Amino acid sequence: MLMINVFVSSVSTEQIKNLHMRFQQLCGNEKTLRKEHLENIPTLADNPIKTEIIKAFFDKRNQHNNELGSYEEIGFEEFLMVMSHFRPPSIKTSAEEKAAMRKRKVRFLFNMHDTDGDGKITLEEYRKVGIVEGLLSESESIGQEVARAIADAAMLEVASTNVPNMVREVTKITLALFLHFACPQILKDLEMESRMYVRFLDMNTANLHCGK
Amino acid sequence: MATRGRSGFCRSLPELELLLLAILVLLNGTVLSLESASSSEIHTGEGNNTSKKPFPVIGIVYDEVSIPFEISLWVLLASLMKLGFHLIPRLSNVVPESCLLISVGLLVGGILKLARDEVPPVLSDRIFFLCLLPPIILDAGYFLPIRPFVENIGTILMFAVVGTLWNAFFVGGLIYGVCQLAQDTYSEINLGNIGILPCLLFGSIISAVDPVAVLAVFEEIHINELLHILVFGESLLNDAVTVVLYHLFEEFMESGSVSAVDAILGLVSFLIVALGGVLVGAFYGILAAFTSRFTSHTRVIEPLFVFLYSYMAYLSAEVFHLSGIMSLIACGAVMRPYVEANISHKSHTTIKYFLKMWSSVSETLIFIFLGVATVDGEHHWDWIFITATLILCLVARVIGVVGLTFVINNFRIVKLTTKDQFIIAYGGLRGAIAFSLGFLLHTDHKKIFLTAIITVIFFTVFVQGMTIKPLVELLAVKKKHEAKRSINEEIHTRFLDHLLTGIEDICGHYGHHHWKNKLNRFNKKYVKKILIAGDRCKEPQLIAFYHKLEMKHAIRMVESGGGSKLNSSFPSTVSMQNIQPKIQSPPSARPAERALPQLTKGREEEIRQILRTNLQRTRQRLQSYNRHTLVVDPDEEGLDDLILKKRRMMELDWKIKEMTNYLTVPHAQGSPTMSRTRMASGRNTDFIPPQQKKGNKQSADSQAYVKPGAKGVPSIQIDLASPQSPDSVRLLDEVGQDQGLTMSLPSSSSRAYKTGGKDDDRDQQKLLRCLSDPGPSADEDEDEPIPT
């Protein structure tokens, strides 16, 4: 419950209630959420990065308590914690808060890419998650070498627009680098803090669709 | 091109240039005035001579060609004007083109009036609405940036519908009040006689933001995309409102009375006009897309279909009094993705250039005619009416924008700041549409209305048009990012889309990501199959984008002496120029002189031909709809230019090779293009960093799908990017973790180049088709596979 307090100022009680309802819906009869519950959501089945998304919910790194590894099952606090990454900034958030928000969101993305949890994204990870899965849905396909080439190109782009002494060592992207390129230079127009949000502000029970 | 050439020649004589232009213009004017004079003379001449004349060796028969002749002269005048403005660089920076053109129109109109004492009625509403307006709107609609448009559609609609309504009623109502107050029964035109309905009609005409004027001015100020799309989108969509209001008030004026039922019918009519227009446009758009599926054998007339269907959409909408502009936009936007996947590259270029050309000429003509029609036409200048109109328009616009933004910001994530609001309000320019509609009026007070309309137009175009650029600088409004869209942006945008859709699904909330995703999947599954020919429907967008960039690189690679292997496959522009200065110490050990494979002339030509074809085929992404700066691809201009960079390239080459000693990025073997060029160069020119030789598991040569145990085979294997099922990709991935890419693929197993018979060709053609352009039938060889 301690963690909820951190967010209660920006996530209203209405939203928490809605999310709690949804959480219970997803869990079914049980108290905690497991991976199978999420996998059973029908609409999620077509999502190419479904595995990563589900893993993200169970990833300990997203709970911001500096642990590594993943849970087997999560409770509502963890669920809420993950969801809180998708809040939009309100008109009252200051510039520092926006920067902090962006950092958290980018960190979330980073964790999604960094599948082995070593704090760095290697070319393989980037290729697999970012490109092969992230870009293409089932009906599309991509040649091995094309995917590889795209990943190389992307990596080199990161390298080239960066701090000089990093150029020679770009085999993996560290969090610092990811943050750096998520901010001004490469993802310039994306404005992560505004882009990465979900309107669960407007959710009401009528809209909730049963995940089973 | 011509301008460049001429300015090079006459660099020391710009004044002479202008003098020549001025002479030409004057000639135009005088010819125009002489025409009618001579035609009348001929008539009288023939009337007198009844006796037998000798056989006329030379005669002037002007009547038969008068109309096309005059039209051509006008268009020529407009084009010469455009040339002229760009020869005076400083002027075009300060004064927007529209102002200059109106001034020219005023001049020409003045000359004509002096010469003939009457001015040809050039800006008749039929010419305007049927000939001059459609090209501009089609250009705008075809190149409309869909993503920002749809993302902001709510805001745009609010501004277009509610904003225009507010403007119309505010201006119309208050001007009526002013007229009543300023009654003066002794003056020539009694303001008090203007009823409320004519005032409302006037209000509705003058309240609409004009797309032509907005385009003309905004394109020169390079403002950020959001503001551009807001103002521009508003100017396009408010056409429906204008049409409805105009017809509504006209009907009311004729019938003399208004009832509540009429008001409700008006509302219904608005919905019909708007939605009907869009549906008609979408219908024709789909027809055009479907037609383009079958044009693979008659490439030459492909652009014609695009233009014809769009024009038909416009005309059909006009027949039913629907909004022609919305229909045209819908048609262009709907047909574009499918048509572009189907047509040849040359047709694509043709369409692009024709649209830009026509819209450019149209715009120029419109402004010139506006000037001419001002000189012509009876005006009645009434200080009170006109100043009141002007002030009311401005006030209404500001109040409207501020009020609407206040409401809209509650629903937007990226809020509109005060600066944004100011620019939106200030960018509400009126233009020729208002004028033409005013021309169509049948009221008694047409003169005074027209004068007021013209004044407002002049004010907005001149004053607001000229000052908006310095204001934008002053307020430090965000400008458009000129940089190219990077691969990482592309990847992350897609990734975010999927992520947010997934989160929405988990939340159980069907937000707009969900619906967008559904639409995309529906599109891929059904629509693309119907509307796009062949296998092209399968190619993912990013691949096309990537290939395009890569082709450019590959061309440079070939031009720079052929075959030198560059590991930085993509960002040849980014990485080379950026990496180079960062290398501080000279390379420690210059690698031994590698024997650059010597290409025979024949091979080089072959390669060049292949690359040229493929490069042209992938040039699909058009990012700008700015007609003033039609971005010219350097590769389009001539591959020969690249030869000039050969030396520099080769040097950079070496440096990059140094880089790869440290960058353990595995071989970016990349594309089939690379492999083909490598092949064609005849030798295995892979530069294998030392790590690879030690068998680093991540960096085996991915090009060589060598069966395990067959390492070091000198023959070069290729595997073109044949579409594989995602299952096999994933399988390969897992297997590949440990062994490097040493698995052999089921369908396209390793084969030596020499024996690449049918499979090769098929794969290659599949690839080429994926890059979507088999070329016109005239260039037959472009369709053929590479001769072995």
Side-chain angles (χ1 to χ4, degrees), chain A residues 32 54 77 89 94 115 120 139 150 181:
Chain A
T32 53
I54 296 182
E77 297 103 66
S94 65
T115 39
K120 301 190 171 53
S139 56
I150 295 181
F181 85 54

Side-chain angles (χ1 to χ4, degrees), chain A residues 13-179:
Chain A
T13 34
E14 183 71 35
Q15 295 163 20
I16 299 184
K17 256 199 294 186
N18 285 336
L19 283 173
H20 193 76
M21 230 177 324
R22 176 64 179 171
F23 181 78
Q24 283 174 324
Q25 221 179 28
L26 287 173
C27 288
N29 297 327
E30 307 169 33
K31 291 266 171 73
T32 53
L33 194 69
R34 285 201 309 276
K35 284 193 184 169
E36 298 83 63
H37 295 129
L38 287 179
E39 303 222 347
N40 287 336
I41 303 176
T43 42
L44 198 56
D46 305 314
N47 201 312
I49 52 172
K50 172 177 74 159
T51 346
E52 274 75 21
I53 298 180
I54 296 182
K55 253 198 277 186
F57 274 88
F58 294 89
D59 195 337
K60 281 190 186 167
R61 291 174 293 176
N62 289 331
Q63 302 297 328
H64 293 276
N65 48 11
N66 294 330
E67 290 175 15
L68 291 179
S70 59
Y71 296 111
E72 282 302 317
E73 48 190 23
I74 55 173
F76 183 59
E77 297 103 66
E78 286 84 22
F79 183 74
L80 197 60
M81 188 66 144
V82 172
M83 282 305 200
S84 71
H85 286 94
F86 295 94
R87 281 172 298 141
S90 73
I91 205 158
K92 301 191 203 88
T93 34
S94 65
E96 302 133 14
E97 284 177 21
K98 276 201 184 142
M101 199 186 253
R102 187 192 295 152
K103 194 165 179 193
R104 286 190 64 232
K105 296 189 183 194
V106 172
R107 207 212 157 99
F108 184 83
L109 281 182
F110 183 84
N111 289 340
M112 279 186 80
H113 280 82
D114 183 18
T115 39
D116 57 7
D118 61 355
K120 301 190 171 53
I121 304 179
T122 64
L123 194 71
E124 280 305 312
E125 288 170 342
Y126 196 60
R127 185 177 58 82
K128 180 162 176 292
V129 178
I131 296 166
V132 174
E133 292 185 3
L135 293 181
L136 310 168
S137 45
E138 298 163 353
S139 56
E140 295 170 324
S141 54
I142 179 172
Q144 262 286 25
E145 71 271 18
V146 182
R148 188 167 284 247
I150 295 181
D152 292 343
M155 275 286 211
L156 260 165
E157 202 181 68
V158 174
S160 61
T161 60
N162 243 307
V163 188
N165 57 8
M166 293 253 211
V167 164
R168 295 178 174 219
E169 290 156 21
V170 180
T171 58
K172 309 176 180 216
I173 305 179
T174 59
L175 178 59
L177 197 54
F178 199 78
L179 265 176

Side-chain angles (χ1 to χ4, degrees), chain A residues 22 46-47 57 83 126-128 134-135 140-141 145 149 152-154 157 160 162 171 186 189 199 207, chain B residues 481 486 488-489 494 498 505-509 521 524 542 546 570 574 582 664 668 670 705 719 724 733:
Chain A
R22 176 64 179 171
D46 305 314
N47 201 312
F57 274 88
M83 282 305 200
Y126 196 60
R127 185 177 58 82
K128 180 162 176 292
L135 293 181
E140 295 170 324
S141 54
E145 71 271 18
D152 292 343
E157 202 181 68
S160 61
N162 243 307
T171 58
I186 299 192
D189 287 331
R199 262 191 231 269
N207 276 346
Chain B
H481 288 295
S486 71
N488 277 295
E489 256 183 78
R494 296 288 207 102
H498 287 307
D505 288 332
I506 292 182
C507 273
H509 172 63
R521 290 190 32 240
K524 281 206 184 83
L542 183 86
Y546 172 71
F570 150 67
V574 174
K582 287 169 185 162
T664 57
Y705 282 92
D719 182 54
Q724 304 162 4
D733 200 20

